[in-house]
Amino acid sequence: MTQTLASASDTTPAGPLGSSRLRRILRNVAIVSCAPYLSLKVAWIAGSHLGIPEGSSLLEHRTGMAVANGITVLMDGAVIVIALLLTRPWGLRVPAWLPALPMWVATGLLAPIMTGFPLQILVKALGGSGNKALESGREPFLDEWVFGVVYTGFIVQGLALGPLFVLYARDRWGYLWRGRVWELPVSRVGAAQRAAAVAAAVLALFPLTTHLLWACGGTAGLSTGRVADRTSDFFVLEVMDVVFLVSTVAGAWILAFRRGRALPVTAPLALAWIGSGAVACWGGWLSLAGLGVDDIAKRPTELMNLTYAVHMIVGMLVVTLGAHFFAERTAAARPPRRTT
């Protein structure tokens, strides 16, 4: 996939980066929005218990917590590098995969938070259930204010990075998504793209079924700890998982089979980009997070782990389809080489 993305790097920028006041503002907002999360993580690595109740399971494995916090510090620190790359002239000279890959990961990790967290607040305001740990007298995982601070910071990051990447991509690759679906030429690898779209759709049926089951109140395949801790937040996230899976398959299907012919090309590309990132990256994140759980009651079950694994497969199939789509359009846009 890296080679495929790299083949799309020869472009002619529409204008110099960094010349827009809007871009500078968005860059500064993205960088500043990292401060709350980075400050909390650094404080925890240094031994502070700020925002962590005394009985929290986070305090049971200090070494593991320090390592995990160190990794997430690097991940959020990468936002600062990305913000600079998207707004400085040298950012147009790097290989195509260098901005595309981390932005796909960032989109995948941030999109569910940007949509799910406000919906969770809305559902609670309308009478949804709250923190089960507080209601039962057990110590919560983190103080409630931590989630508000951290997730608000993530949402601001997404609101800043999203437009920055759109502006950057327009300057560098805007010609790749001009027009409407019906104007797309017949693909030389159309059979492979259709096969990938069908495979993604078939595989997605499994996690769609499990998430719909859990969203409707079913408990089959859930760990006992997860069942006990279900609140309205849980049900909102299950519904969002369904939405992102459907978006992923829909985007891939439209691109591969040229459906929705009147749609602008940006529509299926956006569905495939956001959906595949959310499905693949959160599937991977939840799989990794489950490895560090010692409590059998809270450890992900085999069905939960299988659901996360299929998430990753579906997301990778669709993003690979998209990468080949871009590579093919790039090749078609290049002038033919002269022979002597």
Side-chain angles (χ1 to χ4, degrees):
M1 185 178 75
T2 300
Q3 292 179 347
T4 305
L5 285 171
S7 66
S9 61
D10 295 330
T11 60
T12 302
L17 294 187
S19 60
S20 166
R21 182 185 178 192
L22 174 62
R23 297 189 203 215
R24 292 195 298 271
I25 293 173
L26 290 172
R27 178 182 63 205
N28 293 337
V29 169
I31 293 173
V32 171
S33 66
C34 296
Y37 185 78
L38 291 176
S39 299
L40 269 175
K41 291 290 183 172
V42 171
W44 291 344
I45 293 173
S48 172
H49 293 178
L50 179 65
I52 306 177
E54 285 301 322
S56 173
S57 58
L58 286 176
L59 302 177
E60 296 176 2
H61 303 283
R62 298 183 183 277
T63 301
M65 180 182 171
V67 172
N69 284 330
I71 294 172
T72 51
V73 163
L74 293 176
M75 290 175 63
D76 204 50
V79 171
I80 299 173
V81 179
I82 294 172
L84 293 172
L85 185 152
L86 296 178
T87 54
R88 302 304 302 163
W90 55 264
L92 289 170
R93 298 191 294 270
V94 300
W97 65 267
L98 194 55
L101 183 58
M103 271 306 303
W104 176 72
V105 174
T107 301
L109 292 176
L110 292 175
I113 294 174
M114 295 175 66
T115 53
F117 187 60
L119 281 175
Q120 288 174 336
I121 294 175
L122 176 62
V123 170
K124 285 181 181 178
L126 295 175
S129 54
N131 192 317
K132 286 288 183 71
L134 292 176
E135 294 173 1
S136 62
R138 292 181 286 114
E139 288 292 348
F141 182 68
L142 287 169
D143 291 338
E144 281 292 312
W145 66 265
V146 174
F147 295 101
V149 170
V150 169
Y151 287 160
T152 299
F154 285 159
I155 291 172
V156 174
Q157 287 178 28
L159 292 174
L161 284 180
L164 280 179
F165 185 66
V166 170
L167 292 170
Y168 175 95
R170 184 197 63 186
D171 288 346
R172 185 165 183 176
W173 304 302
Y175 63 95
L176 295 179
W177 54 72
R178 290 176 185 154
R180 299 189 177 273
V181 173
W182 67 269
E183 296 174 320
L184 292 174
V186 177
S187 172
R188 289 176 295 176
V189 291
Q193 291 181 350
R194 290 190 291 273
V198 170
V202 172
L203 287 170
L205 291 175
F206 173 70
L208 275 172
T209 301
T210 58
H211 288 304
L212 281 172
L213 171 66
W214 297 335
C216 293
T219 59
L222 287 174
S223 63
T224 55
R226 197 73 177 112
V227 172
D229 290 337
R230 286 182 305 168
T231 63
S232 59
D233 290 351
F234 169 86
F235 295 105
V236 168
L237 293 179
E238 292 303 315
V239 172
M240 294 308 304
D241 283 330
V242 171
V243 171
F244 283 115
L245 280 164
V246 171
S247 299
T248 304
V249 172
W253 199 268
I254 293 171
L255 286 176
F257 290 92
R258 305 298 195 256
R259 302 300 182 190
R261 295 168 63 83
L263 291 173
V265 176
T266 51
L269 286 175
L271 288 173
W273 175 274
I274 298 172
S276 66
V279 167
C281 295
W282 272 101
W285 182 261
L286 291 172
S287 296
L288 289 174
L291 298 176
V293 178
D294 293 331
D295 189 343
I296 297 178
K298 295 182 179 180
R299 188 180 301 165
T301 63
E302 292 181 358
L303 183 61
M304 293 170 69
N305 282 325
L306 183 58
T307 299
Y308 304 151
V310 178
H311 269 243
M312 289 187 283
I313 296 172
V314 171
M316 293 306 299
L317 277 172
V318 173
V319 76
T320 301
L321 184 156
H324 281 279
F325 172 85
F326 281 126
E328 190 174 37
R329 295 210 80 185
T330 300
R334 289 190 184 126
R337 293 183 179 180
R338 294 183 179 180
T339 57
T340 56

